[in-house]
Amino acid sequence: MADDATNPNAPSDSRTNIALGLLLMVVTLILYAPVKDFEFVNYDDGRFVYNNPHVSQGITAASVKWAFISADIDYWRPLSWLSHMLDVELYGMNAGGHHVTSILWHSANVGLLFWFVLIATRRTWPAFIVAALFGWHPVHVESVAWIAERKDVVSVFFWLGALVCYLKQHQTNNSNYAWGTAVCFVLGLMTKPMLVTLPFQLVLLDVWPLKRTRCEKLGELKAFGIDLLNKLKEKLPLLAVTVGICIWTWVAQREAGAMTISDAVGLGERLSNGFVSYARYLGSMVWPVNLTILYPYDANLPPLWIAGSVVLLIAGSVITIRELPRRPVLFSGWFWFLGTLVPVIGIIHVGSQALADRYLYMPAIGIYIAVVFACWPKEGTRWNKAAIGFISALLVLCIVAARKQIMTWQNGTTVFERAVAVTDGNWIAMNNLANNYARAERWQEASPLFDKVIELGGPRADAFFNAGLARENIGQPQQAAALYQSALELDPDSLKSLINLANLLLHAKADPAAAIPFFRRAVALDPSAVQPTITLAGLLSQAGSDQAALQVVQTSLQHNPDSGYLHYNAGTLSASTGNPTAARQHLERAIAIAQTMEDRQLFEAARSQLNGLTP
């Protein structure tokens, strides 16, 4: 072992490799252990898991059918849906159990990556460091700690499986492994369509480490390019699957409404964002600070940023091509990073984010491999203590930074507190944080955030309603009423704004009758709404319009025939309008419903009214 510590190219036996692989996986599990006590996040976790009627019922014939035929939420990915459904079977809606599953998948990926690099190069310590960077780098926390991103950890497992099978196929000349590559590719696509780049990734493996195509000197680049195309032709069956999945994903995401930015932002802006995103991804890997769940999209990027990013990408590509004869690993690693990010870099933009840490879960591996193997000493060279210390310190820093990042994922509040703290003008994060504060009745903290959302997010009815609700709960009814009015100007059919404004006017010291028009509009929009109907009927009755009040209640009863409170009000109003027979019928019905519901208050009130009727 002393020799291995100083000579990184010294061979290791299988027992050492197994021990190192287990060490990587165990450290990964320990690093992410706190996640088992975390909650769901109110951003995609709801529509993907706990509020999804198909997933929340677990594995049933109907839910499995939906998983395989539906793409109505984002895109076709039946295996990731089945993974969530299995968690429901095992843990119910205990978020900790769902988190444990994601941690186990990530740990398995760390072990599988170690194995992949090991069989690709037969070099234990470089493989160990590549896998450790992947497992412990803070930029990958989002994919593991966010339950909604289960598709990341599962899809990369199959993706790595495909790469391993492809290596074994050409290392052993056993064509049976080609079936393994194909099966893993399809399974990966059934988990996340980002794997469409795999055929191109396999061509990069032909360059390094398989060396099925070589460029011995720069003058051979043309022949090298032709050879790459020939190697790509070998993958035509896989490419056909790629094209089909790309088309299906594009159609599915348009129908699901996920491609919101592409319709509003031109191709030039999206290209600019893509170039800058590449540079920002590289920066996050080198200096992983201010990582968060949502980076707001900016259609007006500074020209200097765009130019600098383009220069960086061109320079990186030129350097790796020039180094191709001596260090092909740079070429494969660099274009691994560039190529696997293409589906999510923003040319066809999905969602409202400029970039996302989760998108690096697979592409970052290319950079890890390129850097580690390009810097690794030649055969027979020994590490000095400084180099060993640097690598050890780097991995420790990754663990410390990752643990810090992990703790920002405890729940929706901590996630969006982080997002608001490290980004500027992020109104979506502010809105989500304010909603979390509101659920916890932390209205003093929610109110200024909702106001900021109005300022940054543009005129949106929901934003004005939320701001009004916050003002109402901190004792500012006049400001709340004005905000509800603004919401109604933007959306005259906003039922919640109508009801809240009407209730504010009802309890104001001014004329309560001012609330009547708003209650009328609310009841017209939703005749089945019981409480607004009863309140409106009471106001009309107080104004001396018992017949009009009775008509309102009778209309609502057509939609809610089993509402005891509507029957009670219909009974009292029928009595006051001189129809004791109808009053008796309604009150008897209210009593029967109250007995069924064990509603003592309603029962006593209806019985008292019934006893007071003239025989």
Side-chain angles (χ1 to χ4, degrees):
M1 292 300 295
D3 184 54
D4 284 352
T6 55
N7 184 357
N9 300 300
S12 299
D13 59 31
S14 59
R15 288 175 299 178
T16 301
N17 292 333
I18 292 172
L20 290 174
L22 290 174
L23 176 64
L24 286 164
M25 296 172 70
V26 169
V27 172
T28 302
L29 291 174
I30 294 172
L31 172 63
Y32 280 91
V35 179
K36 65 179 174 46
D37 298 317
F38 291 0
E39 302 171 12
F40 288 109
V41 173
N42 62 313
Y43 195 68
D44 283 352
D45 279 358
R47 68 188 184 115
F48 290 170
V49 185
Y50 61 84
N51 283 334
N52 186 307
H54 307 285
V55 174
S56 60
Q57 62 183 297
I59 296 179
T60 66
S63 65
V64 172
K65 179 181 178 181
W66 172 83
F68 276 91
I69 68 173
S70 174
D72 56 352
I73 292 183
D74 47 12
Y75 40 75
W76 186 71
R77 50 183 180 97
L79 290 191
S80 68
W81 292 125
L82 292 178
S83 174
H84 289 304
M85 292 172 189
L86 180 59
D87 275 1
V88 173
E89 291 286 338
L90 295 174
Y91 316 114
M93 286 302 165
N94 177 5
H98 294 253
H99 281 302
V100 166
T101 299
S102 294
I103 297 169
L104 291 173
W105 276 106
H106 180 56
S107 180
N109 288 340
V110 173
L112 189 54
L113 177 59
F114 174 65
W115 184 35
F116 162 71
V117 180
L118 189 62
I119 64 174
T121 64
R122 299 294 189 267
R123 301 174 77 179
T124 298
W125 290 107
F128 179 90
I129 295 174
V130 168
L133 288 171
F134 170 72
W136 309 337
H137 199 292
V139 81
H140 301 309
V141 168
E142 180 174 288
S143 293
V144 186
W146 191 4
I147 292 171
E149 290 309 311
R150 172 69 54 76
K151 52 187 177 285
D152 284 354
V153 291
V154 179
S155 63
V156 166
F157 180 85
F158 292 121
W159 177 69
L160 287 170
L163 299 187
V164 168
C165 288
Y166 188 78
L167 285 180
K168 299 294 287 185
Q169 173 191 348
H170 293 286
Q171 288 176 343
T172 63
N173 292 319
N174 186 343
S175 60
N176 290 329
Y177 281 108
W179 289 104
T181 301
V183 169
C184 287
F185 180 44
V186 172
L187 292 176
L189 290 173
M190 292 170 68
T191 309
K192 186 176 184 179
M194 187 177 171
L195 269 70
V196 292
T197 58
L198 180 75
F200 304 94
Q201 177 64 38
L202 299 182
V203 174
L204 293 177
L205 294 189
D206 289 333
V207 177
W208 180 95
L210 291 173
K211 298 181 180 178
R212 295 182 65 220
T213 180
R214 301 188 184 190
C215 179
E216 301 294 342
K217 52 186 178 180
L218 291 178
E220 299 175 355
L221 280 177
K222 182 177 180 180
F224 174 74
I226 294 172
D227 200 16
L228 286 184
L229 287 176
N230 290 331
K231 292 296 184 290
L232 188 59
K233 290 178 183 178
E234 296 177 358
K235 285 81 175 176
L236 281 177
L238 300 181
L239 283 170
V241 176
T242 289
V243 172
I245 289 295
C246 285
I247 295 172
W248 173 237
T249 299
W250 183 81
V251 171
Q253 291 195 316
R254 284 196 69 90
E255 293 180 351
M259 300 171 71
T260 56
I261 295 293
S262 293
D263 297 329
V265 179
L267 178 61
E269 288 85 354
R270 281 180 268 139
L271 286 171
S272 297
N273 180 74
F275 292 134
V276 173
S277 294
Y278 270 118
R280 291 179 67 181
Y281 283 131
L282 289 169
S284 294
M285 295 170 65
V286 175
W287 192 249
V289 297
N290 296 337
L291 304 178
T292 189
I293 189 174
L294 182 65
Y295 303 94
Y297 190 89
D298 184 359
N300 299 302
L301 291 166
L304 189 60
W305 286 18
I306 300 170
S309 300
V310 171
V311 169
L312 174 65
L313 295 179
I314 292 175
S317 300
V318 169
I319 291 171
T320 57
I321 291 172
R322 287 181 61 88
E323 289 294 310
L324 185 58
R326 295 192 307 118
R327 290 185 286 190
V329 66
L330 284 176
F331 178 89
S332 291
W334 176 252
F335 286 100
W336 175 326
F337 167 73
L338 295 183
T340 51
L341 271 172
V342 166
V344 293
I345 203 60
I347 306 304
I348 299 177
H349 202 91
V350 178
S352 55
Q353 73 281 347
L355 67 163
D357 295 342
R358 59 188 177 275
Y359 294 156
L360 273 178
Y361 193 67
M362 172 173 35
I365 297 173
I367 297 297
Y368 300 148
I369 289 175
V371 171
V372 170
F373 279 90
C375 297
W376 208 253
K378 297 180 180 179
E379 294 289 340
T381 305
R382 295 177 178 271
W383 279 113
N384 57 40
K385 292 182 179 180
I388 296 172
F390 173 79
I391 293 174
S392 301
L394 176 64
L395 296 181
V396 170
L397 285 174
C398 279
I399 290 174
V400 172
R403 175 58 69 91
K404 182 179 179 180
Q405 184 66 19
I406 286 168
M407 300 311 295
T408 69
W409 282 88
Q410 295 177 57
N411 50 56
T413 300
T414 59
V415 165
F416 289 107
E417 284 177 338
R418 170 73 172 180
V420 170
V422 301
T423 59
D424 295 323
N426 196 341
W427 68 266
I428 296 177
M430 292 177 186
N431 191 61
N432 278 276
L433 177 57
N435 280 322
N436 278 293
Y437 286 154
R439 291 187 189 95
E441 298 187 358
R442 296 165 61 178
W443 295 106
Q444 291 286 354
E445 295 165 277
S447 183
L449 284 171
F450 281 134
D451 292 342
K452 193 69 175 176
V453 169
I454 292 175
E455 178 186 337
L456 296 172
R460 298 165 52 251
D462 278 349
F464 282 100
F465 172 81
N466 290 336
L469 186 62
R471 291 300 183 96
E472 184 178 351
N473 278 276
I474 62 175
Q476 298 178 355
Q478 291 182 339
Q479 294 90 330
L483 288 162
Y484 291 144
Q485 288 278 18
S486 297
L488 288 170
E489 290 172 6
L490 293 167
D491 181 8
D493 294 336
S494 173
L495 182 63
K496 57 188 179 182
S497 297
L498 283 168
I499 292 174
N500 281 29
L501 178 57
N503 280 320
L504 272 180
L505 295 173
L506 176 64
H507 296 102
K509 292 182 179 180
D511 183 11
I516 291 178
F518 296 100
F519 277 121
R520 280 193 182 279
R521 287 168 59 185
V523 170
L525 282 171
D526 185 8
S528 65
V530 173
Q531 194 55 52
T533 298
I534 292 173
T535 305
L536 174 59
L539 288 171
L540 292 172
S541 180
Q542 290 173 17
S545 302
D546 285 348
Q547 191 61 50
L550 177 59
Q551 185 177 354
V552 168
V553 174
Q554 287 174 331
T555 300
S556 188
L557 269 172
Q558 296 174 9
H559 300 273
N560 274 309
D562 295 324
S563 170
Y565 284 95
L566 286 176
H567 279 289
Y568 170 78
N569 278 267
T572 58
L573 289 168
S574 294
S576 65
T577 55
N579 191 346
T581 301
R584 187 176 299 277
Q585 291 174 346
H586 284 298
L587 291 170
E588 288 176 347
R589 179 64 176 145
I591 290 171
I593 293 172
Q595 289 176 319
T596 302
M597 298 174 60
E598 297 183 352
D599 189 332
R600 188 70 183 174
Q601 183 178 5
L602 176 61
F603 175 82
E604 293 292 349
R607 188 174 65 173
S608 176
Q609 288 289 331
L610 183 61
N611 291 337
L613 287 176
T614 302

